[in-house]
Amino acid sequence: MSSAAPHTHWPRVVTTAVGLVAVVAVVVLAFLWPSVTAEPKDLPVAAVADPAVVAQVQAGLDQNAEGAVTLVPVADRDAAVDLVESRDAYGALVLGQQPEVLTASAASPAVAQLLTGLQPALQAQVDAAATAQGAPAEAVPSVTVTDVVPLSPDDPNGSILAASSFPLLLGGMVGGIAISLAVVGVWRRVAALGVYSVVGGLTIAGILHALGGLHGGYLTDSLAVGLALLAIGGTIVGAVAVLGRPGIAVGPVLFMLVANPISAAAVPVEFLLSPWGAVGQWFPPGAAATLLRDLSYFPGADATFPWLVLAGWAALGLLLALVGHFRDRGAATAAALREADDVAPAAEPVGVAR
């Protein structure tokens, strides 16, 4: 007489269901929290004016939105443009005989819109000053708005560039997890990851160029994309080499739940609660988003930091793979292990790293 099929104990059923709800809640919170709490804070904006005028304008800005904008005094318009093109300022206010608002929609459409919104208030100040001096109406200068670093007509809202960070994150995770499951042997995994990163970098950069999302040099953009895939996927492969199957969780937890929400891919770093925006730049999703934006629109910006961050995470993955060199099976699937057993030389034990 056959015995009844075993069933999971009820306490475990309940705890599993509640635990899954907790995980989903964390995921929802991680993705929605940055957008809900995002607000401008200490946005650097250049100001061309006498110190007294700069202080007066700063006080006026603080009355409308305290702490949102920090004015950085510069000597002239050229100096202001240099700060914008090097991504040291999001825009500039040029006050004087030819008042002007400088924006950079390529840096952030949201900040460009914010600065453009200052034009009416500045025009009112100019009109009031001219009236007080008795100047005729035709002599009152108009405050113009100039987009110093505009977005490409192929991506006028910057949506393709902003959205490209998530496919890179997903691509790095999928590559790292799939290679860990399908390939047996630490060095074979590292080799597979290298091929995946190179081919993936060339392919994804080509797609983003074709769609109008990237506008830097194709090979340089391909290198940046490939390094991002290597940084994310390599960390997962290295974690699997050290931890075995639990190492697969590194990707979803570290990169998806922690790094992606604070990557500032769609909003400026200053929009996120301090210090999380800055912290996000130390992870591959944030570094890759910043690097690709710099390569496309800000060739004069210093991109050393994001390059180093991506290279550092890639090196970390290789180091972890070296540490776990003798755990060649790791999280590989049963099918991958059987295939490795079938092709392994008779004199070579299957458990030896290859």
Side-chain angles (χ1 to χ4, degrees):
M1 181 177 180
S2 60
S3 58
H7 297 285
T8 303
H9 296 296
W10 281 110
R12 184 173 182 183
V13 171
V14 175
T15 55
T16 299
V18 173
L20 290 174
V21 171
V23 171
V24 172
V26 170
V27 172
V28 172
L29 181 62
F31 276 88
L32 294 183
W33 169 75
S35 60
V36 172
T37 60
E39 60 178 1
K41 192 70 174 178
D42 297 326
L43 292 167
V45 174
V48 182
D50 294 333
V53 176
V54 172
Q56 181 181 1
V57 174
Q58 181 71 74
L61 293 173
D62 288 338
Q63 287 182 352
N64 296 326
E66 184 176 0
V69 173
T70 298
L71 295 181
V72 181
V74 293
D76 52 32
R77 186 183 187 278
D78 290 340
V81 171
D82 288 341
L83 281 184
V84 174
E85 291 180 343
S86 63
R87 294 199 74 181
D88 292 317
Y90 284 97
L93 303 180
V94 181
L95 308 175
Q97 297 298 321
Q98 296 180 328
E100 187 178 12
V101 177
L102 304 182
T103 65
S105 58
S108 169
V111 177
Q113 183 177 5
L114 185 152
L115 293 177
T116 301
L118 298 177
Q119 190 272 345
L122 292 177
Q123 186 66 63
Q125 292 182 5
V126 171
D127 293 344
T131 301
Q133 296 173 2
E138 61 272 12
V140 178
S142 298
V143 179
T144 59
V145 178
T146 304
D147 195 346
V148 179
V149 188
L151 285 162
S152 167
D154 295 329
D155 189 19
N157 298 317
S159 56
I160 298 176
L161 181 60
S164 64
S165 63
F166 190 75
L168 291 185
L169 167 64
L170 190 61
M173 289 176 50
V174 168
I177 293 173
I179 289 171
S180 297
L181 294 175
V183 179
V184 179
V186 171
W187 292 116
R188 285 170 170 77
R189 287 175 181 160
V190 171
L193 186 63
V195 174
Y196 175 76
S197 300
V198 172
V199 177
L202 293 170
T203 303
I204 295 175
I207 293 174
L208 291 175
H209 269 265
L211 294 177
L214 295 183
H215 303 278
Y218 170 64
L219 292 181
T220 305
D221 286 343
S222 299
L223 178 60
V225 172
L227 190 57
L229 296 177
L230 182 61
I232 296 172
T235 303
I236 296 173
V237 169
V240 169
V242 173
L243 303 175
R245 190 170 293 272
I248 292 178
V250 168
V253 173
L254 182 60
F255 298 127
M256 182 74 76
L257 297 184
V258 176
N260 186 62
I262 58 176
S263 65
V267 297
V269 170
E270 291 82 3
F271 273 50
L272 302 181
L273 291 177
S274 179
W276 297 113
V279 171
Q281 298 304 297
W282 287 83
F283 290 89
T290 298
L291 180 57
L292 291 176
R293 190 176 295 273
D294 286 350
L295 294 176
S296 288
Y297 293 104
F298 299 91
D302 184 4
T304 303
F305 180 73
W307 279 116
L308 289 177
V309 169
L310 295 178
W313 280 94
L316 174 64
L318 180 59
L319 178 61
L320 291 176
L322 289 173
V323 172
H325 176 63
F326 294 103
R327 297 195 60 170
D328 79 312
R329 292 197 172 195
T333 61
L337 292 175
R338 285 195 300 270
E339 181 183 0
D341 289 342
D342 291 340
V343 301
E348 180 185 3
V350 175
V352 177
R354 292 184 288 278

